[in-house]
Amino acid sequence: MRLPAEPASSEITDPQLYLRRREFLSRTALAGAVALAPALACAEEAEPGRPLEGVKPGPYGTDEKRTPFEDAASYNNFYEFGTDKSDPARHAHRLQTSPWDVEIAGEVAKPGKVGIEDLLRPHPLEERVYRLRCVEAWSMVIPWIGIPLGNVLKRFEPTSNAKYVAFQTLYDPDQMPGQRRAVLDWPYVEGLRIDEAMHPLTILAVGMYGQVMPNQNGAPLRLVVPWKYGFKSIKSIVRIELTRTQPPTSWNVSAPREYGFYSNVNPAVDHPRWSQKRERRIGEFRRRETLPFNGYAEQVASLYQGMDLRANF
Ligand code: MTE
């Protein structure tokens, strides 16, 4: 993301800039490895880096070339650990991810909690290779491991009043030093309409590349909504509330002209400060045409039938 206060800048198209970023990535990959090292040494169940057993390939995946793990784990947006792309890999090891409970509240017949250990149990875990398309016009292809969000929500029996789902990240400035700066209203919050949340493409991801989720990617669990811009994929979730009304979302609150509630990948609607028509896959020079709904139109376009997607951006 680019902070609204920042001066407008063009897309990341300059090859020189790109090369400098590659250099930077190879340096920060090392930093990322260092950040993971203590976790690998520790045998706790939910430790980042631990291989996840019994994961089966899920439906809907793409067979496009995967982004190297090193890139996906070192070029991150996670403002709780700083606003530079390299900050999360350097600082997120501070986050204690086990034990970890997620509270499920609001319009459900059976409010309660689900623990990360429960979500990590192998039987329901699926690997789904989904694209992540950032609003800043870069994209990655990542083998996420998770469980459909709808399956988790059903355990708590949503009522007929549940029209939206609100998500909240942990608020703990001791562990998340970025929260000491008012770059966003903390805690980070996100929201989906109930049909988007229950759609089988939407997953709660607990790992990637065969491993427990690295902290910088949102451990111990984060949302992945592959047809929306990456900022909808809220990380390190502690609370999920089913609501009657549309909940606030961090980027919409911060810059309502730039980031709408829906945030569907839409090449036909420009961001006020840059075009959304094309994107650069991390690791490639050539820019690609951005596909409507990030290439998942066949599965999800019907959810928005009759809606003006320019007004509801
Ligand atoms: N979740 C929280 N809690 N804080 C954040 O700053 N950044 C978002 C999203 N989820 C963010 C977040 C943005 S802008 C993007 S592009 C994705 O996380 C990046 O996910 P990745 O680092 O795994 O690629």
Side-chain angles (χ1 to χ4, degrees):
M1 304 298 291
R2 278 176 239 176
L3 294 172
E6 276 181 289
S9 61
S10 56
E11 274 184 89
I12 315 165
T13 51
D14 174 357
Q16 285 301 336
L17 226 169
Y18 184 69
L19 284 171
R20 284 206 299 279
R21 202 186 64 71
R22 293 298 301 178
E23 270 171 42
F24 151 80
L25 277 178
S26 53
R27 275 186 274 117
T28 51
L30 186 64
V34 170
L36 287 173
L40 284 167
C42 172
E44 271 196 54
E45 251 214 89
E47 280 302 313
R50 181 174 69 82
L52 278 168
E53 307 295 336
V55 176
K56 60 173 197 262
Y60 305 114
T62 166
D63 50 14
E64 286 169 85
K65 188 167 166 263
R66 297 167 185 208
T67 300
F69 172 84
E70 293 71 26
D71 288 353
S74 63
Y75 189 74
N76 301 105
N77 276 333
F78 198 172
Y79 277 23
E80 285 84 343
F81 295 101
T83 54
D84 281 353
K85 302 281 184 255
S86 59
D87 283 337
R90 283 193 282 138
H91 303 302
H93 62 276
R94 293 174 184 226
L95 182 64
Q96 188 69 43
T97 57
S98 177
W100 188 285
D101 283 334
V102 182
E103 186 191 352
I104 315 281
E107 294 293 344
V108 283
K110 295 185 174 163
K113 286 180 174 176
V114 58
I116 185 61
E117 298 306 338
D118 178 6
L119 292 175
L120 281 172
R121 265 184 248 295
H123 57 269
L125 291 181
E126 292 174 3
E127 181 183 78
R128 294 174 171 208
V129 187
Y130 281 162
R131 300 170 210 102
L132 182 107
R133 204 288 193 184
C134 183
V135 75
E136 290 165 292
W138 49 266
S139 61
M140 302 196 197
V141 177
I142 299 180
W144 302 104
I145 297 167
I147 155 170
L149 171 66
N151 291 3
V152 177
L153 295 182
K154 277 180 209 151
R155 295 187 199 172
F156 298 86
E157 300 180 13
T159 72
S160 57
N161 293 324
K163 304 282 187 266
Y164 294 88
V165 184
F167 303 85
Q168 190 178 308
T169 294
L170 176 70
Y171 178 69
D172 183 350
D174 286 341
Q175 295 193 74
M176 296 177 145
Q179 290 177 333
R180 294 181 207 146
R181 291 175 56 212
V183 286
L184 288 173
D185 274 352
W186 306 112
Y188 195 103
V189 289
E190 252 313 332
L192 293 175
R193 217 171 53 193
I194 189 79
D195 55 344
E196 298 175 324
M198 303 306 276
H199 193 281
L201 280 180
T202 304
I203 57 168
L204 275 179
V206 295
M208 60 183 214
Y209 299 84
Q211 305 175 11
V212 170
M213 189 70 79
N215 284 4
Q216 59 270 35
N217 291 91
L221 81 165
R222 54 92 57 83
L223 191 64
V224 178
V225 195
W227 69 95
K228 292 180 182 271
Y229 290 108
F231 64 87
K232 292 298 274 188
S233 298
I234 181 171
K235 297 176 168 181
S236 305
I237 299 166
V238 289
R239 191 163 196 276
I240 300 178
E241 182 182 349
L242 287 82
T243 62
R244 291 169 183 241
T245 54
Q246 185 177 300
T249 73
S250 280
W251 284 100
N252 182 238
V253 167
S254 158
R257 282 188 58 253
E258 303 194 9
Y259 307 107
F261 176 82
Y262 282 93
S263 313
N264 292 319
V265 171
N266 191 344
V269 177
D270 287 349
H271 182 279
R273 289 186 282 149
W274 54 79
S275 160
Q276 297 286 12
K277 288 190 179 57
R278 294 199 288 162
E279 68 196 61
R280 190 189 300 285
R281 186 70 45 88
I282 296 289
E284 292 179 359
F285 286 92
R286 184 178 59 87
R287 289 199 303 155
R288 302 163 169 255
E289 299 292 318
T290 285
L291 299 172
F293 299 105
N294 205 20
Y296 300 93
E298 200 185 313
Q299 290 87 15
V300 299
S302 61
L303 298 181
Y304 308 101
Q305 233 158 27
M307 277 177 74
D308 177 354
L309 295 181
R310 281 189 179 273
N312 296 287
F313 60 97

